[in-house]
Amino acid sequence: MSLYGMMRTGVSGMEAQANRLSATADNIANSSTTGYKRAGTQFSSLVIPGSTGNYNSGGVTTTTRHAISESGILQYTTSSTDLAVDGDGFFVVADTNGTPYLTRAGNFVPDADGHLVNAAGYTLLGYSFANGTPSATANGFAGLEPVTISQTGLTATPSTTGDFYANLPHDADIVAAANLPSANASTATYTAKSSIVTYDNSGAEKLLDVYFTKTADNTWEVTVYDQSQATAGTGFPYSSGPLATETLSFDATTNKLTSASATDMSIPVPNGGTVDLDLSQSTQFAADYSVYDAKVNGNPPSSIQDVKIAGDGTVYAQFDDGSLRALYRVPLATVESPDNLQTLTGNVFAATADSGDPALGFPGDGKLGDIKSGALENSNVDIAQELTDMIEAQRTYTANSKVFQTGSDLMDVLVNLAR
């Protein structure tokens, strides 16, 4: 055995334990860092071949890996923009250059531009609802953009869709054609009437009068007027014709709409868009006229008061009138081997050849977890275990230094043999 080899082995052991202590120091320092994944040092032996009867000491090498696939405990907060992944998956974020990364650190707050940015300065990315309901790009980051919540100024959304489900009385009297609301005569007669609120392009309320009139057995006329055009005190005749008219046909046995019946109607809102009003769940039972669901989207001029983020990743703006509007949907990313991701400054991860390429999907899809709003993922560091590891590494480092010291002493003896 070479004394030099013995000393080199001791140095190798001290270096390995120093790496272990460095990882432990990192873990303890980041024990309160949101979404931090603890580093662990793994040891491998280095063997130097020797001849018969002669042993050559080798050494030890270390590999540091982070327990990225191990989740931390969720801690709940009072901020709706604090996000945590409950299960598998990573948020997709971008640096100031727009380069995408993965992270579990969801402590997001709006910056001066309204972008949701976490404590490390990375911007949350999502898919916008501006061009319709978004879909995730399965094999890349295309289509993602910064999630932006601007709380300045007013915004209004014109009505475009709605539901109106009612029961129409089976035994109602049939009204003659000349007296139907669609004729817009002063003698107009109807079976039932309701009004609904819609919003035009400026956010102004537009009240629409909806008339239901029985025209024959199992047949009803639905007529919609602009209430502002009604004759004061009476209603009919309106100063302008109906906005829309449709016919509903009911099955005499089920008292539900037949397959041949209209199930919705398109209503042009004055100074606004067209509302597609769904009537498909309407019925005709022997009961009084009653509306059991009536809602229309859109909102008047109002400012964003809060942000709501659902478990499926949908980001809603809540206005001061209480209405909600979907703005973005936040995806989650996965890789085949999370523990082989490259760990970078800012508690973010980058894909490597060993980890595999990121695949994107929405929360709750497949093996992906859900997003928890008002929660943060704590680091997965166990302080008690880290302190134990630190003492063990210290003792082992001291033992390796004794090996080096012993080799040095024996070298002195060897050098002084000639004296």
Side-chain angles (χ1 to χ4, degrees), residues 210-291:
V210 183
Y211 293 94
F212 293 92
T213 310
K214 190 173 184 179
T215 59
D217 288 340
N218 305 313
T219 305
W220 292 75
E221 177 189 87
V222 186
T223 310
V224 181
Y225 282 92
D226 178 2
Q227 189 180 97
S228 65
Q229 303 298 312
T231 300
T234 61
F236 287 102
Y238 286 76
S239 60
S240 61
L243 298 174
T245 301
E246 196 57 82
T247 301
L248 303 182
S249 300
F250 289 91
D251 185 281
T253 302
T254 64
N255 291 301
K256 297 182 179 181
L257 294 177
T258 65
S259 58
S261 173
T263 56
D264 60 5
M265 61 191 308
S266 297
I267 307 170
V269 178
N271 192 38
T274 299
V275 174
D276 184 13
L277 192 65
D278 185 1
L279 305 168
S280 61
Q281 302 303 311
S282 297
T283 58
Q284 182 198 240
F285 290 107
D288 293 337
Y289 171 75
S290 60
V291 178

Side-chain angles (χ1 to χ4, degrees), residues 369-382:
D370 295 325
I371 289 180
K372 296 292 185 182
S373 176
L376 294 174
E377 181 182 357
N378 289 333
S379 72
N380 58 5
V381 173
D382 183 344

Side-chain angles (χ1 to χ4, degrees), residues 35 37 66-71 84-93 101-106 108 124-125 141 144 330-343 347-350 355 358-363 367-371 377:
K37 303 302 180 181
H66 289 76
I68 299 174
S69 59
E70 181 181 323
S71 298
V85 179
D86 186 11
D88 294 337
F90 300 86
F91 297 114
V92 182
V93 295
Y101 296 100
L102 311 182
T103 189
R104 297 275 288 198
F108 297 104
L124 179 65
L125 301 182
F141 300 110
L144 289 172
V330 176
L332 295 177
T334 58
V335 293
E336 289 295 328
S337 179
D339 290 341
N340 282 311
L341 288 167
Q342 180 185 6
T343 303
N347 208 12
V348 296
F349 310 105
S355 70
L360 272 64
F362 289 124
K367 296 181 179 180
L368 291 174
D370 295 325
I371 289 180
E377 181 182 357

Side-chain angles (χ1 to χ4, degrees), residues 99-146:
T99 304
Y101 296 100
L102 311 182
T103 189
R104 297 275 288 198
N107 45 351
F108 297 104
V109 295
D111 65 6
D113 297 320
H115 303 324
L116 290 185
V117 178
N118 67 12
Y122 289 89
T123 303
L124 179 65
L125 301 182
Y127 298 103
S128 175
F129 274 87
N131 296 318
T133 303
S135 59
T137 305
N139 61 342
F141 300 110
L144 289 172
E145 58 184 76

